Amino acid sequence: AFQKSRFFRFKIPEIHGRLSQNLLEERIIETDNSAAVSDAILKGLKAALNSSEFDFDYFISPIRNLVPRPNPYSLYMTQYLMEVLIDDPHVIEIYGTDEEIYHAINRVISKSSLQFEKAEQEVSDQLAKNKALVPGTSEYEVARDQILRKKVGEPYK
């Protein structure tokens, strides 16, 4: 999970917007205040990003075997919806089975992950053309980070 945190850090704003919209459009979450629910979803994404490895694993342990080869962040947000968000005063009801909720969340996170991987590959291809930079050196990593930030934006802090 924590190897993917780089992707997650860069894509939180995008995931937040798409996930909030998707959960409301697919009528998984029924609410009387979509802005408050959106804020609560962002809070869950931040919690996933900033939790320790132990806390992360402990939080997802009840649903760890929900699907084969799950995305850890999708599991975290599924558990967050079922355990935390369901008690939010602005949430009227959460519909769907655990698996249906996981798949709705995973579609959003997987799409963002694929876009990020594609951007990283494009950056790597661009750097490969520069013979002055040697992979593994600090100069290479700095150049890679700068180009990636230009391509996908600043990481969430």
Side-chain angles (χ1 to χ4, degrees):
F2 289 91
Q3 294 173 350
K4 290 188 170 195
S5 68
R6 179 175 162 85
F7 140 74
F8 203 68
R9 188 171 302 283
F10 273 96
K11 291 298 206 168
I12 272 190
E14 178 184 318
I15 292 170
H16 168 243
R18 288 183 178 175
L19 187 57
S20 298
Q21 182 179 7
N22 191 42
L23 292 173
L24 293 171
E25 282 179 357
E26 290 190 21
R27 292 183 169 49
I28 290 174
I29 297 176
E30 182 181 352
T31 181
D32 58 0
N33 186 341
S34 58
V37 169
S38 179
D39 290 344
I41 289 171
L42 180 59
K43 185 178 176 183
L45 292 167
K46 288 179 186 178
L49 182 63
N50 296 321
S51 64
S52 70
E53 188 172 356
F54 174 80
D55 289 338
F56 190 99
D57 288 342
Y58 182 77
F59 189 72
I60 65 171
S61 64
I63 60 168
R64 184 173 298 139
N65 297 320
L66 184 62
V67 295
R69 297 184 334 203
N71 177 308
Y73 287 107
S74 297
L75 275 182
Y76 191 97
M77 289 308 296
T78 301
Q79 182 66 2
Y80 182 80
L81 252 71
M82 296 182 314
E83 188 173 300
V84 177
L85 203 59
I86 197 156
D87 294 329
D88 188 287
H90 299 289
V91 172
I92 296 169
E93 186 66 64
I94 295 179
Y95 297 102
T97 66
D98 298 354
E99 203 169 320
E100 290 168 342
I101 294 168
Y102 169 84
H103 288 299
I105 292 169
N106 194 52
R107 280 191 296 275
V108 172
I109 292 176
S110 293
K111 184 175 182 180
S112 290
S113 177
L114 289 172
Q115 290 170 343
F116 185 76
E117 288 172 11
K118 182 180 177 187
E120 276 192 319
Q121 185 60 48
E122 289 171 2
V123 168
S124 294
D125 293 346
Q126 182 179 346
L127 289 173
K129 295 174 184 173
N130 186 342
K131 301 300 180 197
L133 294 173
V134 178
T137 63
S138 59
E139 293 85 10
Y140 180 89
E141 294 302 319
V142 168
R144 184 173 141 242
D145 193 53
Q146 287 174 343
I147 295 170
L148 188 61
R149 286 172 189 250
K150 285 179 186 175
K151 195 171 231 14
V152 298
E154 292 295 314
Y156 186 83
K157 301 199 189 245

